[in-house]
Amino acid sequence: MVFVWLGGNQVSTLRPICDLRVLDHFVREARDSEVIMRGCRGGCGVMKSYFVPLTSVDFAVWEHIDAMEVQTGLSLLDQALNNAMKSVSNSPLASALDNNISNIHSLGQILHSLDLQQARSTVLPDDSAPASAQTQEVSSLPELLQVQSSFLRGKVRLLLSAAPACQRQNS
């Protein structure tokens, strides 16, 4: 458990991060990566297929998006971005991808801090993510970056905005 010193003899536990402006910042950075990618000539040396999470949300059942689905999606994005980094020849793009990877890790920590059921790190085998109803294959880095932005704006936002700890803070 983490405590914050408030002065005197007061101690308080840290609150989970529920401010969606943090997520908005990560979404903007993901979009910035898309812009950098569009500026690359010859694809910046990246021509590969990646397994990524599905981004579509069935709003009839969106309350049932579980933390495991989102955490698995973040793991897929982390793995795909790390694989893309290995073949990037453009320095600004490599820096943007590194930043996106860091943001994905931060989101995983945020989910963990919210103590959502099943929000634990999911490890997927390298380059061989299981083909399932929750994954899709994209064939380029621009598509990967587009999926990342959509996933953050969709499933991650819905999960964070519906988290019980965040509901208590906002009431």
Side-chain angles (χ1 to χ4, degrees):
M1 179 156 281
V2 178
F3 294 97
V4 175
W5 180 256
L6 296 176
N9 290 330
Q10 298 175 336
V11 176
S12 172
T13 59
L14 284 176
R15 289 186 179 169
I17 298 172
C18 293
D19 190 345
L20 291 177
R21 290 177 294 187
V22 173
L23 180 60
D24 292 337
H25 177 75
F26 293 163
V27 168
R28 275 192 304 278
E29 289 185 346
R31 285 183 181 158
D32 290 347
S33 297
E34 290 181 61
V35 170
I36 293 169
M37 181 67 214
R38 275 186 249 135
C40 280
R41 298 190 194 286
C44 294
V46 181
M47 297 304 289
K48 189 175 179 181
S49 292
Y50 306 97
F51 285 101
V52 294
L54 291 177
T55 59
S56 59
V57 176
D58 180 354
F59 285 98
V61 294
W62 75 267
E63 295 116 10
H64 303 293
I65 290 178
D66 66 23
M68 182 60 94
E69 179 180 348
V70 172
Q71 190 67 42
T72 300
L74 290 173
S75 293
L76 283 167
L77 288 170
D78 176 59
Q79 185 176 74
L81 290 167
N82 272 302
N83 286 336
M85 278 276 297
K86 294 174 187 173
S87 55
V88 167
S89 60
N90 178 291
S91 182
L93 181 58
S95 177
L97 290 177
D98 188 50
N99 193 43
N100 287 343
I101 292 165
S102 177
N103 291 346
I104 296 293
H105 288 215
S106 294
L107 285 169
Q109 291 301 312
I110 290 169
L111 291 181
H112 182 74
S113 77
L114 293 173
D115 199 30
L116 297 168
Q117 181 181 8
Q118 301 175 335
R120 301 294 177 255
S121 213
T122 304
V123 178
L124 298 170
D126 279 341
D127 295 329
S128 59
S132 77
Q134 298 301 320
T135 64
Q136 63 182 329
E137 188 173 2
V138 296
S139 58
S140 69
L141 184 54
E143 286 179 282
L144 166 59
L145 296 172
Q146 210 168 29
V147 166
Q148 177 192 5
S149 293
S150 296
F151 189 76
L152 297 180
R153 288 189 328 264
K155 291 184 178 182
V156 174
R157 176 175 293 283
L158 287 173
L159 182 65
L160 291 177
S161 63
C166 295
Q167 297 301 312
R168 286 192 302 269
Q169 267 189 342
N170 295 331
S171 52

